[in-house]
Amino acid sequence: MPDSATLSVPVDKLETLEGAGFGPSSWREIGQDDIDVFARLTGDDNPIHVDADAAAKSPYGTRIAHGLLTLSCVVPMMREVFSVTGAAMGINYGLNRVRFPAAVPAGARIRIHGQVIEVTEIAGGWQTVVSVTYEVEGGEKPACVAEFVLRYYT
């Protein structure tokens, strides 16, 4: 990937972003402490995430981050490389598609890059569909690929 490219546009120019790319963001480590807190918060205490002995016997050979933990790390990384200014409110409207092609080992670092794939006018604002790819430092496959549906109201 090239050096980080921040994509920032006023809400009234949002329709010009279709096809534009952004990122990569800075690297963010997902440590075992993060994984343990997420497991307690969600009740997802699958041994692959929290039990070192059980995880060592798995195909990954170590504890790994939850896919949904990885997905949820998008906010600070996205904020770094993508912004819409002048909107009265922006919301995460949902996801069209999410895949987790590779695991994130505890202590690994991830970053994102993406592309605006669709911009549609809606009542009171704009809806964007943004494809976001999460890289794992040193990994061959992405940890996550997701299509976020974002809405910006004027």
Side-chain angles (χ1 to χ4, degrees), residues 58-83:
S58 77
Y60 305 108
T62 189
R63 291 174 286 185
I64 61 171
H66 304 74
L68 294 176
L69 169 59
T70 302
L71 181 68
S72 70
C73 289
V74 74
V75 174
M77 292 185 292
M78 187 80 160
R79 187 180 299 133
E80 181 185 328
V81 294
F82 182 87
S83 68

Side-chain angles (χ1 to χ4, degrees), residues 16-30:
T16 67
L17 288 186
E18 203 162 291
F22 55 87
S25 67
S26 299
W27 292 105
R28 176 186 175 146
E29 182 178 333
I30 300 182

Side-chain angles (χ1 to χ4, degrees), residues 10 21 23-24 41 43 56 73-74 77 84 86 94 123 126 131 134 137 148 154:
L41 180 67
C73 289
V74 74
M77 292 185 292
V84 175
W126 297 92
S131 177
Y134 298 64
E137 189 173 35
F148 288 87
T154 53

Side-chain angles (χ1 to χ4, degrees), residues 128-141:
T128 63
V129 178
V130 180
S131 177
V132 178
T133 300
Y134 298 64
E135 298 175 62
V136 179
E137 189 173 35
E140 293 179 20
K141 295 194 299 187

